[in-house]
Each structure stands twice: as C-alpha cells, then as structure tokens.
Amino acid sequence: MASSDGAVASSDGAVASSDGALLISALEHRKKHRQQRRRSDLVLDDPPPVVVVSDLDPWTAWAYHPRTISVLIAGVCALIWASGALQPEISDENAAVNGTRGVWAMIAVFLGYCLLQAPPTILIRPHPAFWRMIHGVAVVYLVFLTFLLFQKRDDARQFMKYIHPDLGIELPERSYGGDCRIYTPEDPNKFKNVYDTLFDEFVIAHVLGWWAKAIMLRSLPILWMLSIGFEMMEVTFNHMLPNFNECWWDSIILDVLICNWFGIWSGMKTVRYFDGKTYEWVGLSRQPTIMGKVRRSLSQFTPANWDKDEWNPLSGPLRFVQVLGLVVIVLTVELNAFFLKFCLWVPPRNPLNSYRLILWWLIANPAIREYNSFLQDRKPMKKIGAFCWLSLANCIVEVLICVKFGQGLYPKPMPKWIVIFWSSTAALLGIFLAGWIAKLYVDRNRLVSATEVYVKKVS
C-alpha cells in the first residue's frame, strides 16, 4: 500500500510539475507581451493616413496638391458676387429671402472650410476631400438637429416648410396590418394583400438598405441580430406607430426571410468579392488602352484596400457589451427615422427621408471603421474617431427630438407583456454578464494560486 501511495504521489508530482511548467511559460509569455505593448504604447495616437504626392500618378497628382489659397480667393469672389457686397443698392431687400440666402451661404462657407481643413479619416477613396466634406455635412446636420430641439413641436413642423415646401401638413400614417388575409376571395385579385405588400415601392429600398448595412458591418451574426432585432422593435412600438402594425407573414416571411435575407446575402457577397481582391493599383497614365483608363477611373470609386473587421463579441464581457452597444445604436438610428417622420409630419415618400438615409450611410461607413479600430487598439489612452463621435451625437439628439416632440402623441400605453419581456431580457442579460465576469475572476485566481503553489514546491 505504501508503495502504491508513493507511486501515486510520484505521478501527481509529475503532473503538477508539467502543469506548473506550462503555467510559468504562459505567465512569461504574457509578461513579454505586456512589455511589447508598453513599448508600442509610447505613441498614443496613430498618425492619420497621408497621401504622398510623389507616389501618385502624374496624371492625377494635381488633384492631391493643396489649393487652400486658390480656393479661398475663389470663395471670396463667389461671396462678393452672391451677396452683392460691391453693389448694395441692387441687392434684394426682402428680409426673408436674404435670411434664407445667408443661411445657405453660411453652410457653404463652413463646408468649404471642411473640404480643405477638416480632420482626415481612414477612408481615402474617391478622394480624401470627399470624406472631409461628409464630416462637415455631419456637423451641419448635428447643428440643425440641435436647433430643432430648442423649438416647440408645432413651430418645428412649420419650420420644415423651409426645407421642403410640401411639409407642415398633417398626413395619416399607412398601416400594413389592416387586413392580414392572404387569400381574399371577394377581390378580383385573390391575393391582393400579398401583391400590394410585395410590390410596394419600399421593398427595393428595404433590400438596398440591408445590402448597405452588410457593406458597413461585414459580420453575418451582427446583421442577423439587427434583422431580428428590428422586427422585435416593430412589435414593441406598434402601439405608438401605425406604420409598425404589420401582418405576421409580412414581418416574418417578406421582411426577414426574403428582403432581409436577400439584402444580407448580396451584401456579404460584395464583401467577399472585395475581401478576395489583390489591391495593387496602377496609375492612370500607365494603363495601355482606353478601356483600361476608363476602368481605372471607375475603380477610383471602389475601396483602396479592404479591412477585415474582427468584432469577436464572445472574446470577453467588455467586448460583448461594446458590440451589443453598436447593435443598439444602429437599431436606434433606424427607429429614429420612423419617429421623426411621425413627429414632424414628413410623409414616407418625401425625399428628405432618402436624403437622411444616404447621409447616415455616408457617415456610418467611416464611423464603423473607426469604432472597429478603437476596439482593436490596445493603447492605454485612446479616443474614438471624429465620425464615430458625430454619429453618436447625431443619434442622441435625434432621440431627444423624438422624446420631446412625442409628448402626448401616443395615448395607448405599452402592453404589459412587452414590459415584462424586456424587463426579463435585461435581467437575464445582467445575470449572464455577471456570471461570465465571475467565471473569469475565478479562473484567474485559480491560475494564480496554482502558479504560487508550484513556485513554492520548486523553491
């Protein structure tokens, strides 16, 4: 028996020695990695992308030379001509017209400044100045939203007439769930409800929207979280917005399984196409044929390179919360579109809705790239990019407008089962994150304790 116990003790010692060696090796590797990170963290901010003019094609290098003084002189000349500064006696004396022209001139001057001097972003196609201009447009949109926030609801609705003359008139919201029958025998078209929904003009916009989201996010799990999440938002708020009152087959089959799926599938196909390309650009002057020059000119509107976004939401509790926050913000921006339409009396077919969606897509493209870089950055001191900050600010101010102008517009209370569902979801999410953090804490302490025991045995 003693011999057997000695053999068991010897075996346990060998196992402990092997585990201890692995633990010490892991700790040494972690220490070395931290030292390398400290050395790399001496530089707190990554330098912005810089276009080196000497590396550009001679045919297009002129477009990348700074023209700040020339643009300033041209802008001053345009202001003199538009304002009538040298001929005040013939300028329009209508105060309303002068005020409108002054506001648009003010916006044009600010955008001209942004075109030349705004901070660069990580996107450089088709030209860095284009994204500097979009940065300026995002700031103008934020200022406009802030102005609306300080108005009364009725005044804001009437102010929208200055943006588009057809606004300022109360319009009924369209409900898609009035008649949910698939088969209507009394109608000449036996499937009229399905036909009207399927061939609605917003179906194409729906598919294009999900294609655009796939281009931005480049993650299939996140896209499907957004797809299912938005349908849940429609169910949650259909007591407030008639537009969210949809039939079950419209919500599940046409939206999720057809439109959303096709948009996500085509978007991810586009992502894989750009991901698999070899990015070795040849200048326009070096293209031997006319068609080659045309293709190279058109390719200027495609990405210069393609980054692989690694979200990794299951790598840790903090990353999970960060990715979940991205999903919540995207869903909030989408919900804001419907609440803003309802509060400000903007009909669904008004072009302002399309302008807002296009603007948000242009802002979100660099914003999501900046946010992903922010998550991947290991530096101790870091900040989110300008587009990311502007996106968050615009989203928050839109929510504030919806909350302020929505007072008294929603007489129906939220159904009790929805309150219970989301309260339970929040509680389960909190328990899940707490358990995850506790498990990591226990595993870390166990690793440290095992290492200390082994060190004592060795010493």
Side-chain angles (χ1 to χ4, degrees):
M1 181 67 67
S3 176
S4 175
D5 291 343
V8 172
S10 176
S11 175
D12 291 343
V15 173
S17 176
S18 175
D19 292 344
L22 291 175
L23 290 174
I24 288 181
S25 176
L27 290 175
E28 290 178 350
H29 177 74
R30 181 184 298 178
K31 181 179 179 182
K32 182 179 179 181
H33 180 64
R34 286 177 177 173
Q35 291 175 350
Q36 293 176 349
R37 279 173 50 187
R38 290 192 187 99
R39 287 194 294 269
S40 64
D41 290 342
L42 293 177
V43 180
L44 298 181
D45 291 318
D46 291 331
V50 177
V51 178
V52 182
V53 177
S54 60
D55 295 339
L56 297 173
D57 187 81
W59 285 21
T60 57
W62 61 271
Y64 293 89
H65 284 281
R67 310 283 182 182
T68 54
I69 302 299
S70 302
V71 174
L72 177 61
I73 295 174
V76 170
C77 294
L79 282 178
I80 293 174
W81 171 78
S83 64
L86 300 182
Q87 295 177 316
E89 65 279 358
I90 64 173
S91 62
D92 196 337
E93 297 180 358
N94 189 327
V97 173
N98 288 338
T100 302
R101 293 175 62 196
V103 170
W104 285 112
M106 179 178 63
I107 294 173
V109 169
F110 176 74
L111 293 180
Y113 167 80
C114 291
L115 183 72
L116 300 174
Q117 305 291 353
T121 183
I122 57 179
L123 301 182
I124 60 174
R125 290 289 185 89
H127 193 282
F130 173 79
W131 296 106
R132 293 197 295 266
M133 174 73 77
I134 298 301
H135 175 273
V137 175
V139 176
V140 171
Y141 183 59
L142 177 60
V143 173
F144 168 72
L145 291 175
T146 306
F147 173 80
L148 278 185
L149 183 62
F150 280 82
Q151 311 307 310
K152 295 181 180 180
R153 180 172 61 203
D154 293 336
D155 294 339
R157 288 169 173 171
Q158 297 307 314
F159 174 79
M160 295 298 290
K161 287 183 177 180
Y162 293 99
I163 310 290
H164 196 280
D166 295 339
L167 300 181
I169 303 173
E170 183 177 5
L171 297 174
E173 276 281 336
R174 177 181 177 183
S175 175
Y176 291 88
D179 186 1
C180 291
R181 293 179 300 166
I182 297 177
Y183 182 73
T184 53
E186 72 280 1
D187 197 276
N189 184 357
K190 305 301 182 182
F191 299 93
K192 182 179 184 302
N193 294 332
V194 178
Y195 182 87
D196 291 344
T197 304
L198 187 60
F199 290 95
D200 188 270
E201 66 270 18
F202 297 109
V203 170
I204 297 178
H206 198 142
V207 175
L208 290 176
W210 281 103
W211 175 84
K213 291 188 188 75
I215 297 296
M216 291 189 304
L217 295 167
R218 308 173 188 178
S219 171
L220 202 58
I222 294 179
L223 289 169
W224 280 111
M225 285 178 62
L226 289 171
S227 175
I228 298 174
F230 186 76
E231 299 304 321
M232 296 173 68
M233 292 298 103
E234 286 186 335
V235 175
T236 302
F237 295 106
N238 63 8
H239 67 285
M240 302 172 69
L241 298 178
N243 200 30
F244 283 173
N245 186 17
E246 296 180 345
C247 300
W248 66 269
W249 47 266
D250 185 7
S251 179
I252 298 175
I253 298 178
L254 295 183
D255 282 354
V256 177
L257 299 181
I258 296 180
C259 294
N260 295 8
W261 172 83
F262 184 74
I264 293 173
W265 174 82
S266 58
M268 293 306 295
K269 280 286 187 181
T270 307
V271 169
R272 294 188 186 97
Y273 168 76
F274 284 111
D275 191 22
K277 286 184 62 176
T278 301
Y279 292 89
E280 295 180 359
W281 296 102
V282 178
L284 189 64
S285 63
R286 297 172 57 187
Q287 299 293 336
T289 63
I290 297 297
M291 288 305 300
K293 297 181 188 300
V294 172
R295 284 194 296 267
R296 178 61 184 86
S297 300
L298 295 177
S299 66
Q300 188 67 20
F301 296 91
T302 63
N305 53 64
W306 194 261
D307 298 328
K308 294 182 179 180
D309 291 346
E310 297 180 358
W311 297 104
N312 299 324
L314 300 180
S315 61
L318 179 60
R319 178 57 61 84
F320 181 84
V321 172
Q322 291 169 334
V323 175
L324 183 62
L326 173 65
V327 173
V328 171
I329 291 173
V330 175
L331 288 176
T332 304
V333 171
E334 294 183 347
L335 284 174
N336 287 344
F338 295 91
F339 280 99
L340 287 173
K341 286 192 302 181
F342 185 79
C343 294
L344 296 175
W345 291 349
V346 181
R349 292 176 175 84
N350 192 278
L352 288 183
N353 295 312
S354 301
Y355 298 158
R356 176 188 174 273
L357 292 176
I358 294 173
L359 174 61
W360 262 112
W361 187 71
L362 291 173
I363 298 173
N365 266 290
I368 291 178
R369 304 283 79 74
E370 291 175 352
Y371 185 61
N372 188 263
S373 300
F374 175 82
L375 297 186
Q376 303 298 333
D377 196 352
R378 298 293 185 178
K379 296 173 183 176
M381 296 178 61
K382 56 183 180 178
K383 64 178 182 179
I384 60 175
F387 276 94
C388 192
W389 188 93
L390 283 171
S391 299
L392 186 59
N394 281 320
C395 177
I396 292 174
V397 179
E398 283 185 347
V399 171
L400 293 177
I401 291 174
C402 295
V403 172
K404 180 180 179 179
F405 293 170
Q407 298 294 328
L409 294 182
Y410 314 110
K412 295 182 180 179
M414 180 173 288
K416 187 176 181 180
W417 71 270
I418 293 180
V419 177
I420 295 175
F421 171 78
W422 286 113
S423 300
S424 303
T425 301
L428 291 175
L429 180 61
I431 294 172
F432 168 72
L433 291 174
W436 195 354
I437 295 172
K439 182 179 182 302
L440 293 177
Y441 179 78
V442 171
D443 291 343
R444 179 179 178 277
N445 288 341
R446 186 179 299 168
L447 177 63
V448 173
S449 300
T451 305
E452 291 176 351
V453 170
Y454 174 75
V455 171
K456 289 179 180 179
K457 287 183 178 180
V458 173
S459 59

